[in-house]
Amino acid sequence: MIDKKKLSERDICTKYITPALEKAGWDKQLQILEEVSFTDGKIYVRGKITVRGTRKRADYILYYKPNIPIAIIEAKDNNHSVRAGIQQGLDYARILDIPCVFSSNGDGFLFHDRTETDATIETEINLDNFPSPEELWNKYKKYKGIKTPEAEKIAAQDYYFDGTNRKPRYYQQIAVNRTVEAIAGGQNRILLVMATGTGKTYTAFQIIHRLWKSGAKKRILFLADRNALIDQTRRGDFKHFKNKMTVVKHRQIDKSYEIYLALYQGLSGTDEAANVYKQFSRDFFDLIVIDECHRGSAKDDSSWREILTYFQNATHIGLTATPKETETTSNSEYFGDPIYTYSLRQGIDDGFLAPYRVLRIALNVDAEGWRPDQGKTDKDGNEIEDRIYNRKDFDKNLVIEERTDAVAKKLTEFLKGYDRFAKTIVFCVDIDHAERMRTALAKHNPDLVAENYKYIMQITGDNDEGKRELDNFINPEERYPVIATTSELMTTGVDAQTCKVIVLDSNINSMTKFKQIIGRGTRINEEYGKLYFTILDFRNATDLFADPQFDGEPIRIKPVTEAIDLGDIIDEEEENTEPIIDIETGEEIEITPPEIRYPEQEFPPSTANEPRRKVYVNGVDVSVLISRELHFDQHGKPITTSLKDHTKEIIKEQFASLDDFLNKWKGSDRKEAIIAELAEQGIMVEALYEAVDKQVDLFDLICHIAYDQPPLTRKERANNVKKRNYFTKYGDQARNVLEALLDKYADEGIENIESMEVLQVKPLSNFGSTLEIVNGIFGSRENYLRAIKDLENELYTVA
């Protein structure tokens, strides 16, 4: 008779849960997946070092078909109740959009049915009565509103498999499944919001392929507004459509294909002859996918919108990272609310997108404004208008040469301390600014520019040589260009996987544009060491991180009727602006809310086409007032209190008293696990270390900040252990090993001595191999680990 109480969680799964599933008719190879990690683990940046947090992992996910998950099971060992895993299972089910949740300890199952609203929402069932695949598929259909055999056929259509191990991430699965199921249910306008770098094109391909193969949609048009997007799509995931697909070029229409890729510009024009989309009948396409739908066709009066209106009988799917909601443009009015949103913050938390550091650099002329001395003239000898100029003017109306030089100098200093070959994009006010910035950067990097003039390139719409280098900039294997100065060209549609630095020297008032720019750095490329990126902000553009719209639901502000009072919108904006406090000075930071732009008024004919003259000046004293790093909480919002108060608040939420913390710390087998857990809760470990001069570890930082205990350095703690003659109970060799480990702790911290890898480095390796130390000197692995545990308890004895 097996004693279940002595079995591990894995044993319970193998001996009881899996056999119960197979008995109920589940296919172990195709329908049962065990220990499914569905996130990659958030990336934490500690100085220049990155570490991954814990992956979210479900014990079982059950699939009706591959990529169509219908149930989740959380297992516990038999020392827990049958109900012990249900809350964790429900949390995962919410994330994964799964209706049926089970908890088990090997005695039976607790079944939580998210399709029910009465007393049957949770029921206990024995091991022999686990539901069959068909039973849970029926639950799934009820949950998803799949009511007819035709809709079921579409919803159950297989995904495309390319013969490799590639499969959709969990959020791509949800986006694909929800879209296909909505269309199967008759919905004809669908909006998908997915952050830059999360695979919108792959998601679109799986949606199109499933609808096409099921016969629900026979002719499909994929619309974009940039050649680069069409080329990436054709050469990427869509290549699997092979000879069924064509790209519309030179306004030539061939109606023999089934999948069409096209630019808006290639289908329409300023005169009727250019509107070649009308060569198709209005019902030719039954599905249109609009990439980057926040641009171009989003406006009611756009000529590109006419294409969508012409094919209005087709199903329209809008894809965007940044849904647009302004006075004149509304994605949600056209498509409805998003059917699924996967945000930048969620992507970073899941470890699929790169986190960011923010360095704010305040120049004196930006912070204080600049007023010309009486009689001050510009470079052309004209007297400069007497008023106070600020960052809204700089490089747009007035150019201070020394300011451009100061930005270039500061960026160069940063790269010299970080990595001079880190791919960098500098976002400038306009093309003229990008041109001047390239020159200023070249002056501060003459050695690398002399080595290869492509070290710094201006990549703007008017510069053909720069545009030719765009592919090289985004190619991870190409070393040059390293620094790209740009204005608008690189804000979107540029897949810069290895971009490690983004410089903001442009006034960004549009949330859409801000998100697109930040999206240039969010892709991860582990092969090339790209796991995070740094934002150097010279214009306070990162104030927009504090805006609720940055990572929340877009708020529709387009008036429903023309009678709306525009003043109400302004008042609403002002009321919702929260003050942001500088974490170092305690002073309020000014946030300029995004401008509300009204329809342009008529311009006098004499000046309509005359560009505003820029004023160029030099001889101005420009210096860096302050350069500091902004810190963000676990929700991605700027920390507006001191780091100490922020940390204290988080720790007190976790541990009400010092005793609670000490018990957790001493009771943990691995202190590194507690450190990782606290980092996930939002504690800025590295920033706290930098704020304390003494060489202390996290234990002392926490005790000092949260519980006002005097901190000891690691060396002081190590010396206290030696003074207590703690090692006398061990033999000579074991004592020597433990003393060497104690010295390691004093130098490097607790995480190092917890790893057995430390035994492979000097001076520990002088005592023999890992096996010789553990088994030969200490007698067994258990004895060695017990000695380490005892040493840690001695280290953290609180007087």
Side-chain angles (χ1 to χ4, degrees), residues 545-615:
F545 279 127
D547 193 305
Q549 288 187 49
F550 175 69
D551 212 41
E553 293 296 320
I555 300 168
R556 188 185 302 182
I557 63 170
K558 183 180 175 185
V560 178
T561 68
E562 294 301 317
I564 192 166
D565 184 354
L566 296 178
D568 291 342
I569 296 173
I570 299 170
D571 292 340
E572 217 172 280
E573 290 277 334
E574 291 171 351
E575 287 172 10
N576 291 334
T577 302
E578 294 283 333
I580 299 299
I581 308 302
D582 188 312
I583 61 174
E584 293 182 0
T585 66
E587 295 175 356
E588 185 173 332
I589 300 171
E590 179 188 354
I591 292 184
T592 305
E595 292 179 5
I596 296 177
R597 295 194 174 100
Y598 303 105
E600 297 289 339
Q601 304 299 314
E602 288 187 15
F603 291 99
S606 59
T607 61
N609 297 316
E610 292 179 15
R612 184 169 182 170
R613 189 179 76 87
K614 271 189 188 180
V615 176

Side-chain angles (χ1 to χ4, degrees), residues 786-797:
R786 191 179 304 116
I788 297 298
K789 179 84 172 170
D790 290 346
L791 175 59
E792 288 180 346
N793 288 338
E794 280 297 310
L795 275 169
Y796 296 114
T797 296

Side-chain angles (χ1 to χ4, degrees), residues 363 365-366 370 387 389-408 426-438 440 486-487 504-507 538-539 612-617 622:
L363 303 177
V365 292
D366 292 352
W370 178 75
R387 67 178 179 88
Y389 296 85
N390 56 38
R391 67 165 64 93
K392 287 187 176 181
D393 297 297
F394 298 144
D395 300 297
K396 183 179 181 183
N397 308 319
L398 179 129
V399 174
I400 299 176
E401 289 188 349
E402 288 80 5
R403 187 190 178 285
T404 308
D405 186 75
V407 172
V426 185
F427 287 97
C428 301
V429 169
D430 56 22
I431 289 173
D432 166 67
H433 186 200
E435 191 176 274
R436 289 183 291 102
M437 185 61 71
R438 192 210 69 80
T486 190
S487 56
L504 303 177
D505 196 24
S506 173
N507 298 313
F538 289 89
R539 303 265 179 162
R612 184 169 182 170
R613 189 179 76 87
K614 271 189 188 180
V615 176
Y616 294 81
V617 300
V622 178

Side-chain angles (χ1 to χ4, degrees), residues 337-574:
D337 292 332
I339 199 168
Y340 184 60
T341 297
Y342 189 73
S343 67
L344 171 66
R345 174 55 38 204
Q346 191 62 52
I348 292 173
D349 285 346
D350 287 343
F352 296 127
L353 295 178
Y356 44 80
R357 298 172 61 209
V358 177
L359 297 178
R360 285 273 278 269
I361 299 109
L363 303 177
N364 60 335
V365 292
D366 292 352
E368 300 163 358
W370 178 75
R371 183 177 181 181
D373 295 334
Q374 188 173 3
K376 174 77 174 176
T377 58
D378 65 16
K379 291 180 71 176
D380 294 330
N382 302 310
E383 188 168 332
I384 302 167
E385 180 187 349
D386 182 23
R387 67 178 179 88
I388 296 176
Y389 296 85
N390 56 38
R391 67 165 64 93
K392 287 187 176 181
D393 297 297
F394 298 144
D395 300 297
K396 183 179 181 183
N397 308 319
L398 179 129
V399 174
I400 299 176
E401 289 188 349
E402 288 80 5
R403 187 190 178 285
T404 308
D405 186 75
V407 172
K409 181 181 178 183
K410 188 65 183 175
L411 171 57
T412 302
E413 287 174 3
F414 172 79
L415 291 175
K416 283 180 177 177
Y418 174 59
D419 174 7
R420 292 187 78 186
F421 282 89
K423 296 270 183 166
T424 300
I425 305 176
V426 185
F427 287 97
C428 301
V429 169
D430 56 22
I431 289 173
D432 166 67
H433 186 200
E435 191 176 274
R436 289 183 291 102
M437 185 61 71
R438 192 210 69 80
T439 300
L441 284 165
K443 283 166 56 182
H444 284 283
N445 295 273
D447 53 338
L448 295 181
V449 173
E451 191 178 303
N452 190 320
Y453 76 92
K454 292 182 180 178
Y455 177 73
I456 305 162
M457 293 291 292
Q458 173 193 342
I459 302 180
T460 50
D462 70 323
N463 189 295
D464 290 338
E465 184 169 354
K467 282 194 291 187
R468 282 195 294 271
E469 290 299 322
L470 180 56
D471 283 345
N472 288 331
F473 181 83
I474 65 180
N475 184 351
E477 296 180 1
E478 292 291 341
R479 193 173 201 191
Y480 299 100
V482 176
I483 303 174
T485 66
T486 190
S487 56
E488 293 290 335
L489 184 65
M490 297 178 71
T491 57
T492 187
V494 177
D495 188 5
Q497 294 178 22
T498 54
C499 176
K500 293 183 178 180
V501 182
I502 287 176
V503 181
L504 303 177
D505 196 24
S506 173
N507 298 313
I508 303 167
N509 292 323
S510 158
M511 181 62 74
T512 298
K513 183 176 178 181
F514 179 65
K515 283 186 178 182
Q516 290 287 346
I517 287 174
I518 298 305
R520 298 315 100 211
T522 54
R523 286 177 171 81
I524 290 171
N525 190 318
E526 299 201 38
E527 182 183 350
Y528 289 88
K530 163 66 186 303
L531 287 162
Y532 72 96
F533 66 105
T534 303
I535 302 167
L536 269 62
D537 180 12
F538 289 89
R539 303 265 179 162
N540 281 14
T542 48
D543 282 340
L544 289 170
F545 279 127
D547 193 305
Q549 288 187 49
F550 175 69
D551 212 41
E553 293 296 320
I555 300 168
R556 188 185 302 182
I557 63 170
K558 183 180 175 185
V560 178
T561 68
E562 294 301 317
I564 192 166
D565 184 354
L566 296 178
D568 291 342
I569 296 173
I570 299 170
D571 292 340
E572 217 172 280
E573 290 277 334
E574 291 171 351

